[in-house]
Amino acid sequence: MTATTSPATRAERLDRLPFTREHGRLVFGSGLGWALDAMDVGLISFVLAALATQQQWDITSSELSWIASIGFVGMALGATLGGLLADRIGRRQVFAITLLVFGLATGAAALSWSVGALLVFRFLVGLGLGAELPVASTLVSEFAPARVRGRVVVWLEAFWAVGWTMAALIGFFVVPRSDEGWRWALAIGALPALYAAVVRWGLPESVRFLETRGRVEEAEAAVRRFEQSAGVAAVPSPPPAPVVAPRPWAVWAVGTRARTAALWTVWFSINFAYYGAFIWLPSLLVADGFTLTKSFGYTLVITLAQLPGYAAAAFLIEKWGRRATLATFLAGSALGAGLFAAADSDTTVLVTGMVLSFFNLGAWGALYAVTPEVYPTVLRATGTGAAAGFGRLASIAAPLAVPRLVDMGGTGLVFGIFAAFFVLGALATWGLPERRGQALDDDVAAPSPVSA
């Protein structure tokens, strides 16, 4: 008697594929949007430093803090709402809409005529930006083969370093050239608006999402698109089982609340330390006696250290696993922040800043890899967005806190506190699940309607 096996599900067919040209297109298409996002966030740090030196704006440190933080208020709302929408109307749709929103708002910010106008436009920028990041990582994680999923998502996150480097280059070459240089920098940041249309029509929709919405033919077509790229013969899958979509608060249901608590702690910790450090870095260097041009140059070099950080995380995340990689890079970030706090020369500022940049961005890559793996398909974008949204609360608080901390104890105190937050995040990683090599649909059982 010949044994028979049941046909593979579409998720299983995707997991069995090698990394194909279609995967590369998906990562590049999503990553380019990610890089443009990072460029926008990075630009504001240079804009703040430039505005602080211009007498015609007569801007206070409190106003500068709010210009930095208001974007993160938008990001907190955008991440939460974007995740909810992505689980209802689709990952690709939300991705394109968010690119359009923050691209247009960035262009409008370049025309700001007052601090109030700049605050409004920066809020809108954050609204679009906050929604895009968790949605993009969810989309990529749902197509990536299980055995390399973590690495692929870290590759996606590495585009952040590309974007921040672009921001540093614009900050170095454009912003200091004239009093209007910051406006030209923001105008360049409006490019995502042009890219939104390409994203909308060029990227596939999540197969798992399509199945939860009963759009089986579209899901089958998307899987075959990737199978054809790999030269694999298509074997149609059986109809998917019915799915009961849990309510958004299911992230705090009995089976997921401990993981959610750990995940939110990591997100809060890394956001506070990262954005507190890198949004204010050029301004802190100026305050410590560096010229505007020199501070921008140092920031550019420190930013370049992000790239090897991502490369190391991408390699280790499939070797060591998610938790070990994330905890190690957060611990390294704490070390970098502590060393930066004690830096007392140009050389040590540069070297310790690069250490911080290397480990911190590697930690971001690992965090974006593990976050979508915590929740089931019907809750994945919602859970990812909620974690990112909670983390953005820290990114709101950090830029507001930095000037006050500087007044209390200088740069040393500021970076000592950042080191403590990195340690907290590293400890919290051990409450996260280890999903290396496992299929997404097997990660967490969807909560029942009662527990939800």
Side-chain angles (χ1 to χ4, degrees), residues 22 25 202-204 220-230:
E22 285 297 324
R25 288 176 180 171
L203 298 182
E220 182 65 26
V223 174
R224 291 191 178 187
R225 172 175 168 179
F226 280 75
E227 288 177 332
Q228 288 173 358
S229 180

Side-chain angles (χ1 to χ4, degrees), residues 15 43 46 59 84 97 108 138 151 183 186 196 245 253 290 304 356 364 385 396 423 425 438:
D15 277 338
L43 282 175
F46 298 96
I59 198 165
L84 288 168
I97 292 170
T138 298
R151 184 168 298 161
R183 295 186 186 274
L186 291 179
F290 292 86
L304 290 173
L356 173 60
W364 271 112
I396 296 167
V423 170
Q438 297 180 21

Side-chain angles (χ1 to χ4, degrees), residues 62 78 98-99 104 116 158 163 167 200 225 240 306 314 319 353 356 361 395 397 399 403 420 425 446:
S62 177
T98 57
L99 282 168
L104 293 176
R200 172 63 182 84
R225 172 175 168 179
Q306 297 178 8
K319 297 291 184 180
L356 173 60
L361 276 296
S395 61

